[in-house]
Amino acid sequence: MTETTYPEVPILVVGGGSVGLLTAALLAHHGVPAVLVERRPGPSVHPRATGIGSRTVEVLRELGLDTAVDAVAVDLRGATAKAVARTVVDMGAGDVVTVPMPPPSAAELETTPFRLRGVCAQDRLDDVVAADLARRGADLRWSTRLVGIAQDADGVDVELEGPDGRYSLRCARVVAADGARSAVRTALGVGTSGAGDLGKSMINILFRADLRAHLRGMSFGTCTITTPEAPGLLVTVDGETDWVFHVACDVDGGEHPEDFTPERCAAVVRAAVGDPDLDVEMRSVLPWRPRSSLAERFAVGRVFLVGDAAHTVAPLGAFGLNTGVADAHNLAWKLAAVHKGVAGAGLLDTYAQEREPVAAATLDQAMRRVADPQLHWGRGPEADAARAAAGVWAAPIVHLGQRYDSAAVVDSRPELPSTVDLAVALDGSPGSRVPHAWVDGVSTLDLVASRWTLLVGAAGDRWLAAAADVGLPAHQVCAPWLSDAGALLVRPDAIVALRVMTTVPDPARFLADTLDQVLARPVTVPRRPRLQPETSETT
């Protein structure tokens, strides 16, 4: 390490992809400034994912960014989810096999308060989040890479290299969001398990070409192109002029990623479209390979792994990005609580306790789909039966229905009551995401508002008074998952920490003791008059 020392920062986020940006945004939302470093000169223009799941949309809603992201999403309501055609020209002419974008069922509409109108490419998501961070005055250090890291009992020393050279930084804690080849994970000596590389090496071609005349009004999420000249997968970015095309790189046959020059990629795109005279602008070319791996540890001392640094997920199901966002959402409020002195450091142990099993289950679900993609795409009774036989959960369960089991949940129930019906899985049990219900036109998720919150039944006046005593926001809710005399204690990440079905002799003392327990507060720390400072959005 160099001898130069700069003032300590609370949290350093390493990596400025979607998960790193959202980690910084969530920390800022909870009132904790973070320094973010990213080796690239800015957010990537090359989207690696386009599917934003319902839980990620809820996180964006919590940050106040759902409307902005929806505005840059491609409207696919009533469109085709997946198509198969020889070329784009053939597709527009009607020679195409399609899988319609399934409308959400009535049950699905009852489980979450807001949905995007379609797909949103990762670069568009990143632009929205980066702009919000700039509005907040966040410290984003582009063109800066981590070259060294060491930690002790009191902090983490990192050595960074930026546009003005090398310097050292002292941090309270570090969040590694630096991707599948994480330099932080490697420096910590954390290995990975799992299947590793899957299938063929691929080339991800980001290009700009106006395909509207060829599509003739057709819109889709993805299209498998089958022409022998350029087989691959065409992915919508904006549905009009911006696209991604994935083609195989035959490494066994002697091909190399560097063989895919801009000129060759343009020729491949023209062949896939079926128009040899197409005006194509090549924007970016990235080699990649599907991978499934899980870090052996998600936390080492004061350093925490999130996103691809912690797990890489096979792409079918759109679980990868969304699992990383769930990591950030779980971790950010805990870091903030410990930093502000609201919680004991033991709370941070629950990050790995909660996220490692969920990530492992998600990887397993993605791998089960790899063997037979119809297990994901199929619809109807036969597909349902095939999924049940293969142990494949419904995708909404993977995104929204999984549960936590840790010291930050009282009497958790990690077993899933259903792997098919999300409404059944979201039953108010400790460890699950609090059920969505409208209360005077406001969702219970919005009532939580990133704070510890108490939801009480219709006869919950004593609970309301107790909540006021300990500084908890509280709301009465009439719902089948909450008895009239009962209460749900909900964490800032909208996870149920405790469910009580009856009243207790001293509800204020009961709540205070429960909070001490789940927040890992040392018994020597006097109880605070209020549970927590307000978030940055309400100060």
Side-chain angles (χ1 to χ4, degrees), residues 216-252:
R216 302 181 187 180
M218 183 176 181
S219 57
F220 58 89
T222 66
C223 180
T224 299
I225 300 295
T226 62
T227 177
E229 296 177 285
L233 183 69
L234 183 65
V235 181
T236 292
V237 174
D238 73 351
E240 296 180 350
T241 62
D242 289 342
W243 309 88
V244 164
F245 191 51
H246 297 272
V247 294
C249 176
D250 186 6
V251 175
D252 293 336

Side-chain angles (χ1 to χ4, degrees), residues 453-515:
T453 303
L454 194 69
L455 303 180
V456 307
D461 289 348
R462 293 185 68 229
W463 285 116
L464 292 175
D469 285 346
V470 297
L472 275 175
H475 307 274
Q476 284 187 304
V477 178
C478 294
W481 36 266
L482 181 59
S483 67
D484 286 350
L488 255 65
L489 180 63
V490 186
R491 303 184 335 189
D493 57 353
I495 297 297
V496 178
L498 169 77
R499 177 162 61 178
V500 183
M501 302 304 287
T502 62
T503 189
V504 297
D506 187 345
R509 170 60 60 181
F510 177 81
L511 288 174
D513 289 344
T514 300
L515 289 167

Side-chain angles (χ1 to χ4, degrees), residues 428-446:
S429 291
S432 66
R433 196 270 269 147
V434 66
H436 156 64
W438 295 111
V439 180
D440 296 328
V442 180
S443 170
T444 47
L445 293 167
D446 298 331

Side-chain angles (χ1 to χ4, degrees), residues 28-62:
H29 178 68
H30 286 288
V32 178
V35 172
L36 182 146
V37 296
E38 165 56 46
R39 59 181 176 78
R40 296 171 304 197
S44 175
V45 300
H46 201 135
R48 292 171 172 82
T50 59
I52 298 181
S54 296
R55 188 63 176 133
T56 297
V57 175
E58 293 176 358
V59 173
L60 294 170
R61 183 180 177 91
E62 184 179 335

